[in-house]
Amino acid sequence: MNAELPSVAPEVVAAAVEQLTSRLRKKLDAAIEAYATLPVVAEGTVRRVRCGEDAEVTLAPGPSGAVTDDAQARCSCLLAPRCLHRAAVLGAAPVADADALAETPAPAAVPVTEGDGAGATEPEQGAGDTGKPDTGGSDAPPAGPTQAQVAAAAGLWAAAAAVLAAGVPAAGAVPQAELLRAAHTARLAGLHRPEAAALRVVRALRAARARHDGHRLADLVAGLRELLLTSALLAASDPDPALVGIARRAYRPGGALRVHGVCREPVVSATGYGGIVTHVLSEDGRWFSVSDVRPGGTARARGAATATVALGSGSLDHAQLSRGGLLISGATLSPDGRLGAGKGVRATPVAGLSWTSGPLALLFARPLAKAAATLLAGSAPAAEPQQGGPADGELIGCDVVVVGAAEDQLLARELPPGGAETEAEGLLIRLVPSNSHPDLAHTANFRKLAARPGLRLRVVGRLDPARAATLRPLAVGPVPDGTATLRLPPEWGGHADLGYDRLEGAHFPSAGELPPVAGLSVVPADPVAEAPLWRLRRLVEVAVSGGRRATAAPARDGDRASGTASLRRSGFRAAADLADALAAEADRRGRDVFGRTRQADPEGYARAWLAAAVYLSRTERALVEATWRTPSPAPTPTLTPTPV
């Protein structure tokens, strides 16, 4: 992908690929890889790419900043528009997000009120919200998907099954174009959640094929699981409205709001977007956010730390908002809690609150186990938790004491209401940097925190639903009693944003002030990472990364038998059965009446893979939930503070 190119609507990419001859389609993947590295000439909003002596591709995006019409992409060669140059440049451009497609009329099935959001947002942050559409207070049972929606879901299922059977190496531009075409059909039918899942899968496929540093195979697996599950249920006419989702830019009136800043979070995506999200809390305890995320990567994420907030008079920046507040009239709210900046919105800066007063203090009043259980339970809609689960939801607060460190993890114990004398009974949790990019401050701050066992902190962060009892802190502050805790400068407003504010030696108590803490002789086991389920997880991931042939290989060399036997000995009989079924389906080869091998059925293979992937996801979620309830192991020898 070339981040200098404007984003392109899925249907434009799909149409360009469909116009190619079969001979040119075979060359498309190599052409995309080559053209993605060519220089881009900018002339205002127009972008030009020289593809040869007599071929120049011109992209002229519309008002949304995206190429949404075939006529906005032109090539100067004689074969245009059915040429390889045009299709390859479009394939090298980012896939347009739902916000960029807002100029396309929304389907009547889901009412959309256009909100003037605070700039473009990052595609993977909350796209295709899974909240239920407003039914106007009616108690009537949901009517279910329409005939057009059922047909669109069936098309998505078929395209996703083909991608799964091909695997990352073979899922090139042509299979991606089929999936983009199906995603466009789903958007026209009002299937916002499956459409968003399809676009996430395409972006993750491109990152995997390009070996992008930010690519995670787990994200691609989760995206395919979400896409196949929602499309299968909708194709079967499941009436749950959560499967349909709601339009991303569906802003609703929010009336008057008074919000208080909590912290800032830098955003850096694998697709080249960067910026900031400032989290705020209303007087009645509701979470909202003000975002400014655009193409630009890490450099933009750093620069957005003090960018002006696009609300009200524009006299407040994100650093001030995170430690201050806003009195908003005529507020507009998106389903995922984003505050819009429409023409009718008026915002006046007001004095902020510290973490020890008002609604902010209530963040730390609830036991951590109860707060985590509520978030984990609320992150699982009727179908399957959307990628990230509570990672896109509200934050969580707690008071902890640092115990030690292991690899990238900071071990800490919750400080219960009983005080320091009972802190050994608190829940043991892991703190992991929210973003490990070296250009951000998270990792450097974690090193300083890990070097000071006994340090007591007030933490606001995000629960990690894929790891055992793990929080990803966004900000830290001193505990209220001031004992063995941080000493932050007054201008920081009582907390440090870990992605932006850099902690120094003067911000910590001296080594002599840090009390001894109950350490751990060994790092507690992670039941998700160390359970025998890793055998099923490996098979599920190999199916995505290598395709059907790679999944069938263990069925031929005998490795499958030993793996499933180990699962059965450990009590995971259902996992063993699902692994056997997936490998057997991958190796299934039918023959016609002449004895010739038939083409394998991708849908049967997709059903077997989906069953294994859903079981794995649900079982791992149950293991994670158990770690928030299980008592911590008994403490052993004492750790003494290490001077820095």
Side-chain angles (χ1 to χ4, degrees):
M1 186 192 71
N2 191 332
E4 296 181 37
L5 295 172
S7 58
V8 181
E11 64 272 21
V12 176
V13 180
V17 175
E18 289 173 359
Q19 291 175 347
L20 297 178
T21 64
S22 58
R23 181 180 64 85
L24 292 178
R25 289 187 185 187
K26 295 177 182 179
K27 301 180 179 180
L28 183 55
D29 288 329
I32 290 176
E33 184 177 353
Y35 292 174
T37 62
L38 293 178
V40 178
V41 178
E43 298 177 1
T45 60
V46 176
R47 298 293 183 269
R48 301 182 186 276
V49 179
R50 173 65 66 176
C51 302
E53 294 183 2
D54 57 350
E56 182 180 68
V57 176
T58 302
L59 302 182
S64 65
V67 176
T68 57
D69 187 86
D70 289 342
Q72 295 172 347
R74 302 185 303 275
C75 181
S76 61
C77 76
L78 297 177
L79 293 179
R82 303 172 183 269
C83 65
L84 183 63
H85 313 108
R86 179 175 177 272
V89 170
L90 290 173
V95 179
D97 183 33
D99 281 351
L101 304 177
E103 62 187 36
T104 304
V110 180
V112 177
T113 302
E114 180 64 31
D116 206 0
T121 54
E122 201 276 320
E124 297 172 7
Q125 296 281 327
D129 191 274
T130 59
K132 298 184 179 181
D134 186 5
T135 59
S138 172
D139 294 329
T146 65
Q147 185 175 357
Q149 289 176 327
V150 170
L156 271 175
W157 165 268
V163 166
L164 175 65
V168 171
V174 175
Q176 291 174 29
E178 295 294 333
L179 188 52
L180 290 174
R181 170 65 75 188
H184 173 61
T185 303
R187 180 166 67 90
L188 294 180
L191 299 181
H192 304 289
R193 178 177 175 181
E195 179 219 1
L199 297 185
R200 285 200 303 272
V201 168
V202 171
R203 293 186 184 107
L205 272 174
R206 291 182 174 185
R209 289 174 57 83
R211 296 179 175 85
H212 196 285
D213 291 340
H215 165 67
R216 294 177 64 247
L217 180 59
D219 293 339
L220 178 54
V221 170
L224 269 172
R225 184 184 68 238
E226 164 82 3
L227 175 57
L228 286 168
L229 183 60
T230 53
S231 58
L233 292 175
L234 286 166
S237 298
D238 191 305
D240 188 353
L243 296 171
V244 174
I246 53 182
R248 182 174 177 187
R249 288 177 65 92
Y251 281 76
R252 67 183 188 277
L257 284 177
R258 186 185 182 99
V259 297
H260 305 281
V262 179
C263 62
R264 294 172 293 169
E265 177 184 10
V267 175
V268 180
S269 84
T271 54
Y273 282 72
I276 187 171
V277 174
T278 298
H279 300 277
V280 298
L281 200 62
S282 67
E283 290 283 346
D284 56 359
R286 290 181 295 164
W287 282 103
F288 298 103
S289 64
V290 180
S291 63
D292 182 7
V293 185
R294 304 175 188 272
T298 312
R300 193 177 190 286
R302 293 197 314 269
T306 55
T308 301
V309 175
L311 280 175
S313 62
S315 60
L316 197 70
D317 62 34
H318 282 271
Q320 294 169 329
L321 176 59
S322 69
R323 295 172 170 93
L326 281 176
L327 185 61
I328 308 173
S329 62
T332 57
L333 312 174
S334 74
D336 57 355
R338 287 179 295 157
L339 293 171
K343 296 180 180 179
V345 178
R346 298 290 181 268
T348 304
V350 295
L353 295 177
S354 69
W355 284 5
T356 59
S357 59
L360 276 64
L362 297 178
L363 286 175
F364 310 94
R366 187 166 48 162
L368 188 54
K370 291 184 178 179
T374 301
L375 284 178
L376 287 170
S379 70
E384 178 73 3
Q386 192 175 0
Q387 180 180 356
D392 295 328
E394 66 183 63
L395 306 182
I396 192 170
C398 59
D399 292 341
V400 300
V401 57
V402 176
V403 174
E407 298 178 353
D408 66 333
Q409 303 173 0
L410 183 63
L411 302 178
R413 267 192 201 282
E414 181 186 13
L415 290 173
E421 65 274 12
T422 61
E423 67 183 33
E425 302 174 4
L427 181 67
L428 181 70
I429 64 172
R430 297 166 170 84
L431 304 179
V432 179
S434 179
N435 192 312
S436 58
H437 198 287
D439 290 343
L440 300 175
H442 293 99
T443 303
N445 285 332
F446 257 71
R447 290 196 191 101
K448 293 183 172 64
L449 295 173
R452 293 170 171 84
L455 181 67
R456 304 168 75 200
L457 298 169
R458 175 156 279 192
V459 177
V460 169
R462 179 173 284 120
L463 185 150
D464 189 334
R467 301 179 67 162
T470 299
L471 286 181
R472 294 185 177 272
L474 301 181
V476 296
V479 294
D481 63 9
T483 304
T485 191
L486 294 174
R487 300 167 180 171
L488 302 179
E491 59 270 20
W492 284 14
H495 74 268
D497 295 321
L498 291 176
Y500 291 115
D501 301 321
R502 294 188 177 270
L503 297 172
E504 303 295 344
H507 300 149
F508 295 94
S510 64
E513 297 177 79
L514 295 175
V517 294
L520 298 171
S521 57
V522 294
V523 178
D526 184 339
V528 178
E530 300 182 18
L533 280 174
W534 68 266
R535 299 178 184 277
L536 180 60
R537 186 186 312 115
R538 182 179 65 178
L539 186 63
V540 167
E541 292 179 345
V542 165
V544 175
S545 63
R548 185 168 190 151
R549 289 185 178 180
T551 312
R556 303 191 185 106
D557 61 15
D559 180 62
R560 173 175 61 88
S562 61
T564 55
S566 176
L567 284 170
R568 288 193 173 90
R569 286 195 303 268
S570 304
F572 291 100
R573 295 183 179 87
D577 292 341
L578 290 168
D580 281 339
L582 176 57
E585 185 64 38
D587 198 36
R588 190 183 305 280
R589 292 292 186 271
R591 294 184 180 274
D592 60 18
V593 293
F594 299 105
R596 294 173 300 192
T597 302
R598 290 176 178 172
Q599 187 174 5
D601 175 23
E603 297 199 6
Y605 173 68
R607 285 191 292 270
W609 181 86
L610 181 59
V614 170
Y615 168 87
L616 179 64
S617 173
R618 298 290 178 86
T619 306
E620 289 181 340
R621 172 59 63 92
L623 291 174
V624 169
E625 290 176 352
T627 63
W628 290 100
R629 299 189 302 266
T630 305
S632 303
T636 55
T638 306
L639 293 179
T640 55
T642 303
V644 175

